[in-house]
């Protein structure tokens, strides 16, 4: 009978231990938050769009749109402006894992953020990029330079004056023309708000490709300059 009682006690202890482990596992899962949120990736002197897929106090996984390798030092910026420094610990296709040197307060970081939504996105992150563009206003077409772009709008530099509230179309290489409205003017620059947001994946891949093309053109130009005259 004593043996049976001990066996019953052991069974109860195992059950309680399993419950504790299950509770600990659930707590661990709660600390590892799954999400899809737009952020900015700072790496190698440039800013790029990225999507944070999940986050925990010790790190995060993120979809990026540029080449990164294990050991690369990066910073992730949410809307709050806070930069989370870390290093790449794994990469697979366009997904990478980033480890923080010290634990972070996840709730504080996520208190202010960009969110991927189909609705208006006045505060969606903008990416600085200098590229040729064309702005159509009425029956006229103007040459311009793109200064920055987001899913919901762009900043453009051009010599010709276009009034605020004017309806325009912004044309960029490898992207469909984006119809929008001029929201502000400042000297030679105008701010355009698009009528429809550019799909996130399309814009992120486009920025990566345009930068890659520009880098290759710059390298080719430098190589040409180095040739004997």
């Amino acid at each position: 009978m004593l043996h049976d009682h001990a066996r019953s006690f052991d069974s109860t202890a195992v059950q309680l231990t399993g419950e504790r482990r299950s509770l600990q596992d659930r707590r661990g899962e709660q600390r590892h938050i799954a999400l899809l949120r737009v952020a900015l990736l700072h790496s190698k002197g440039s800013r790029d769009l990225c999507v944070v897929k999940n986050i925990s106090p010790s790190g995060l996984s993120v979809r990026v749109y540029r080449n990164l390798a294990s050991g690369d030092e990066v910073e992730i910026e949410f809307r709050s402006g806070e930069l989370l420094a870390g290093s790449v610990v794994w990469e697979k296709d366009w997904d990478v894992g980033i480890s923080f040197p010290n634990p972070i307060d996840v709730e504080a970081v996520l208190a202010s953020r960009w969110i991927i939504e189909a609705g208006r996105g006045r505060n969606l992150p903008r990416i600085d990029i200098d590229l040729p563009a064309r702005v159509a206003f009425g029956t006229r077409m103007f040459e311009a330079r793109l200064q920055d772009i987001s899913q919901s709008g762009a900043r453009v530099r051009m010599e010709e004056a276009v009034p605020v509230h004017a309806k325009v179309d912004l044309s960029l290489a490898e992207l469909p023309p984006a119809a929008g409205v001029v929201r502000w003017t400042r000297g030679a620059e105008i701010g355009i708000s698009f009528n429809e947001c550019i799909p996130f994946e399309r814009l992120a891949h486009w920025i990566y490709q345009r930068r890659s093309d520009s880098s290759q053109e710059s390298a080719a130009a430098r190589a040409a300059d180095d040739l004997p005259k």
Side-chain angles (χ1 to χ4, degrees), residues 55-204:
I55 187 170
S56 73
S58 60
L60 54 79
S61 69
V62 60
R63 170 63 60 90
V64 299
Y65 301 89
R66 60 172 301 163
N67 292 322
L68 291 174
S70 294
D72 285 349
E73 300 294 327
V74 301
E75 291 179 316
I76 301 295
E77 179 185 353
F78 286 85
R79 182 180 173 186
S80 62
E82 180 180 6
L83 296 176
L84 303 179
S87 57
V88 177
V89 291
W90 59 263
E91 50 86 18
K92 181 179 180 182
D93 299 326
W94 295 102
D95 292 335
V96 300
I98 297 171
S99 176
F100 304 137
N102 299 300
I104 65 166
D105 184 339
V106 174
E107 291 185 1
V109 169
L110 298 183
S112 179
R113 73 264 187 189
W114 290 293
I115 305 177
I116 300 178
E117 290 180 344
R120 297 307 302 159
R122 291 181 55 195
N123 295 319
L124 290 171
R126 292 178 176 266
I127 298 297
D128 295 330
I129 186 166
D130 183 17
L131 292 171
R134 290 185 175 180
V135 175
F137 172 45
T139 59
R140 305 174 66 187
M141 181 74 74
F142 303 123
E143 298 296 327
R145 297 291 301 187
L146 178 68
Q147 302 296 289
D148 67 36
I149 189 169
S150 74
Q151 289 180 262
S152 59
R155 177 168 59 93
V156 176
R157 176 176 291 273
M158 53 190 293
E159 298 301 325
E160 292 77 6
V162 177
V164 175
H165 305 311
K167 296 180 180 180
V168 297
D169 289 294
L170 177 65
S171 295
L172 299 162
E174 306 299 329
L175 276 181
V181 177
V182 176
R183 295 301 183 189
W184 56 263
T185 63
R186 188 181 304 120
E189 292 184 343
I190 64 173
I192 301 173
S193 175
F194 300 147
N195 295 340
E196 296 183 5
C197 286
I198 301 174
F200 179 83
E201 288 272 343
R202 185 171 202 167
L203 179 61

